[in-house]
């Protein structure tokens, strides 16, 4: 790292506001993690509800027993175990329903696989909790075809706001058909909770990045030091490059640090199991052939690029505005204001454009596991992949614009 970059880096991180931002990020990561742990609840072995860490450990114990390929034989066995319990009078109450005690002691451990079966075989738009009581175990051979049928119904239903064309429907059906089966099951609650609050964390990270980078150029104007900087030997070249490099280093640090804390806090409590499971264990109709860890890496990549784009926009604002406060307001409007732009049901172009706003990129998980696609010149490309390309191009374009704006600045 050259001397000028180190100097600019010290200017950014020496401010009290920067350390306040670090504390906010740590506090937010802790808060989001604690909330997820406290909200965890399930039925204990004695039939009573257990919460927090106790519930986490029990669910992990049960789901680890089911880990492995989600085969027809595994599903048939789960259905038979459940129905055998119903055939034993000792497990039934006066109404002929399974007692709470029997359910807690014998049946709850199969909940993960039972829920998948009930979701696949329930009528479209419904969730039949009693389906597992009466379904023929031999019907499990149709499990994966039933899932594909649900995808087809979704793509053709009136509930779909995307108004899919025949070409898009065929595209998503083909995507689903290419997902390897049987799915890999595992305990995935930890990763599921990581995805839960990842968008909120990215939003806070973007705010801190914007706040930290706002003075990089505007601070020179505000403090009347722009004349000094621009009149030096490297003021219109290397000094600007150093500011940009230092800003990039700070932004990357502000992204990596809280993401690692948040992820390891949650997985440290919930468990790291499930990274190799299919993401369909979390989002059953997801059209991608990814494992949970692959989906996480995609989501982190998209959210991180969105934060870097916010940083690049902040620097551009900073090079064009006369004070840091104006830059912070502009960045804040960009982040908060765009959250209230509704999806357009009439204009695909408008939907495409709003998808590319940083605020809509923070929830990369939803885009990855959802049914959203760009039609570019007749070529269909998933929205989440376009987000990656668009953000890289936007950042690459904003950097020279920012460089040029400060270089051509006329000192008053």
């Amino acid at each position: 790292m050259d001397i000028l970059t180190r100097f600019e880096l010290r200017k950014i991180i020496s401010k009290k506001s920067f350390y306040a931002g670090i504390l906010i990020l740590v506090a937010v990561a802790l808060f989001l993690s604690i909330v997820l742990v406290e909200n965890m609840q399930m039925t204990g072995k004695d039939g009573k509800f257990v919460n927090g860490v106790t519930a986490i450990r029990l669910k992990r114990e049960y789901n680890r027993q089911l880990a492995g390929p989600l085969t027809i034989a595994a599903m048939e066995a789960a259905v038979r175990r459940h129905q055998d319990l119903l055939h034993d009078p000792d497990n039934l109450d006066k109404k002929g329903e399974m007692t709470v005690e029997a359910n807690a002691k014998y049946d709850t451990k199969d909940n993960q696989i039972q829920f998948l079966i009930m979701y696949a075989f329930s009528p479209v738009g419904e969730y039949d909790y009693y389906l597992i009581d009466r379904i023929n175990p031999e019907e499990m051979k149709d499990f994966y075809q039933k899932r594909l049928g649900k995808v087809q119904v979704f793509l053709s239903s009136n509930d779909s706001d995307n108004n899919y064309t025949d070409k898009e429907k065929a595209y998503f059906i083909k995507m689903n058909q290419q997902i390897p089966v049987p799915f890999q099951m595992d305990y995935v609650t930890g990763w599921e909770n990581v995805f839960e609050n990842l968008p909120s964390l990215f939003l806070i990270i973007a705010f801190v990045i914007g706040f930290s980078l706002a003075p990089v150029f505007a601070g020179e104007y505000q403090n009347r030091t722009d004349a000094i900087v621009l009149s030096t030997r490297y003021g219109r070249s290397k000094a600007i490059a150093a500011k940009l490099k230092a800003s990039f280093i700070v932004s990357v640090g502000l992204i990596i640090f809280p993401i690692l804390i948040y992820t390891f806090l949650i997985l440290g409590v919930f468990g790291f199991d499930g990274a190799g499971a299919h993401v369909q264990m979390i989002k059953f109709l997801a059209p991608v052939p990814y494992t949970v860890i692959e989906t996480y890496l995609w989501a982190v990549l998209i959210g991180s690029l969105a934060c870097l784009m916010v940083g690049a926009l902040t620097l551009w604002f900073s090079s064009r505005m006369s004070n840091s406060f104006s830059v912070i307001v502009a960045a804040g409007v960009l982040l908060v204001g765009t959250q209230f732009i509704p999806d357009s049901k009439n204009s695909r172009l408008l939907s495409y454009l709003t998808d590319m706003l940083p605020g809509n990129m923070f929830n990369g998980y939803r885009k990855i596991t959802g049914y959203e696609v760009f039609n570019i010149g007749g070529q269909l490309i998933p929205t989440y992949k376009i987000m990656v390309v668009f953000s890289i191009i936007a950042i690459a374009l904003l950097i020279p614009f920012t460089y040029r704006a400060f270089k051509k600045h006329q000192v008053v």
Side-chain angles (χ1 to χ4, degrees):
M1 188 186 302
D2 58 83
I3 295 174
L4 283 175
T5 303
R6 287 200 298 269
F7 174 71
E8 293 297 336
L9 191 58
R10 283 197 297 269
K11 285 174 64 176
I12 296 173
I13 65 176
S14 63
K15 293 180 171 59
K16 292 181 180 179
S17 58
F18 175 79
Y19 292 101
I22 294 288
L23 290 175
I24 290 172
L25 289 174
V26 173
V28 168
L30 283 169
F31 173 75
L32 294 176
S33 303
I34 292 170
V35 168
L36 290 171
V37 173
E38 291 297 320
N39 286 342
M40 186 66 185
Q41 183 184 75
M42 69 175 297
T43 305
K45 294 181 180 180
D46 59 357
K48 298 179 180 179
F49 284 120
V50 291
N51 302 285
V53 175
T54 303
I56 292 168
R57 289 175 178 170
L58 186 59
K59 188 171 185 178
R60 186 165 63 221
E61 175 191 334
Y62 287 159
N63 289 4
R64 279 177 173 175
Q65 296 172 12
L66 299 173
L70 183 58
T71 61
I72 305 305
M75 289 184 281
E76 288 179 348
V79 173
R80 288 194 174 95
R81 284 196 296 270
H82 175 81
Q83 293 181 355
D84 286 345
L85 291 173
L86 294 176
H87 294 151
D88 186 345
D90 292 339
N91 297 325
L92 306 180
D93 58 20
K94 294 180 180 180
K95 296 181 180 179
E97 297 178 352
M98 190 181 298
T99 63
V100 173
E101 293 76 16
N103 177 269
K105 189 174 181 180
Y106 304 113
D107 205 43
T108 301
K109 62 183 69 175
D110 277 336
N111 275 355
Q112 185 183 30
I113 196 167
Q114 289 174 358
F115 291 155
L116 291 170
I117 292 169
M118 288 186 285
Y119 188 83
F121 285 90
S122 291
V124 175
E126 300 178 21
Y127 189 85
D128 186 350
Y129 285 94
Y130 298 99
L131 179 144
I132 197 77
D133 296 350
R134 61 183 185 276
I135 194 168
N136 188 329
E138 294 181 1
E139 291 184 51
M140 295 304 103
K141 66 180 184 298
D142 299 323
F143 176 83
Y144 290 104
Q145 192 58 39
K146 286 285 187 180
R147 179 189 171 277
L148 187 59
K150 289 235 172 188
V151 171
Q152 293 171 326
V153 171
F154 165 75
L155 293 172
S156 302
S157 69
N158 293 327
D159 294 333
S160 173
D161 294 333
N162 288 302
N163 300 317
Y164 297 105
T165 64
D166 290 340
K167 184 177 180 179
E168 290 168 343
K169 293 175 185 177
Y171 175 80
F172 283 120
I173 293 297
K174 185 177 180 180
M175 281 183 67
N176 278 279
Q177 289 173 335
Q178 292 175 339
I179 300 173
V181 295
F183 294 155
Q184 183 69 27
M185 282 190 69
D186 205 341
Y187 167 75
V188 293
T189 303
W191 293 99
E192 185 177 5
N193 281 286
V194 168
F195 289 129
E196 179 75 20
N197 286 328
L198 205 52
S200 300
L201 183 60
F202 276 126
L203 178 62
I204 303 301
I205 290 171
F207 268 116
V208 174
I209 287 175
F211 196 80
S212 300
L213 301 188
V216 170
F217 295 106
E220 305 289 2
Y221 306 147
Q222 189 173 341
N223 297 326
R224 306 292 184 182
T225 55
D226 51 333
I228 298 174
V229 173
L230 293 170
S231 62
T232 59
R233 181 180 178 182
Y234 299 117
R236 295 183 185 270
S237 56
K238 291 184 179 180
I240 304 175
K243 287 178 178 292
L244 293 172
K245 285 190 285 186
S247 299
F248 177 78
I249 292 169
V250 167
S251 298
V252 170
L254 288 173
I255 293 168
I256 293 176
F257 178 64
I259 290 298
L260 288 178
I261 289 178
Y262 170 75
T263 301
F264 280 91
L265 274 174
I266 292 179
L267 296 182
V269 177
F270 281 88
F272 289 81
D273 311 53
H278 277 72
V279 73
Q280 284 74 21
M281 295 300 99
I282 300 176
K283 188 71 174 290
F284 187 60
L285 296 185
V288 290
Y290 298 145
T291 61
V292 170
I293 187 63
E294 288 170 338
T295 306
Y296 169 78
L297 292 174
W298 269 108
V300 168
L301 173 64
I302 293 169
S304 298
L305 286 172
C307 290
L308 288 176
M309 187 159 59
V310 170
L313 283 165
T314 300
L315 289 172
W316 182 63
F317 291 151
S318 183
S319 69
R320 307 286 299 182
M321 297 180 176
S322 59
N323 60 77
S324 302
F325 180 75
S326 299
V327 177
I328 293 171
V329 171
V333 170
L334 174 71
L335 286 171
V336 178
T338 56
Q339 300 283 319
F340 297 97
I341 300 177
D343 292 333
S344 175
K345 298 182 180 180
N346 301 316
S347 173
R348 295 296 290 272
L349 177 60
L350 183 59
S351 294
Y352 288 165
L353 294 175
T354 55
D355 277 340
M356 296 303 108
L357 294 170
N360 290 332
M361 292 175 62
F362 295 142
N363 197 349
Y365 170 73
R366 183 170 67 87
K367 300 296 182 181
I368 297 162
T369 59
Y371 286 75
E372 299 181 42
V373 65
F374 272 57
N375 190 332
I376 302 177
Q379 183 71 28
L380 299 180
I381 306 173
T383 297
Y384 71 93
K385 292 184 177 179
I386 295 294
M387 286 177 165
V388 172
V389 175
F390 175 83
S391 54
I392 291 173
I393 293 174
I395 293 167
L397 290 176
L398 284 166
I399 290 173
F401 277 119
T402 302
Y403 186 100
R404 182 178 177 81
F406 190 70
K407 181 178 181 179
K408 297 298 182 181
H409 173 69
Q410 297 297 320
V411 180
V412 180

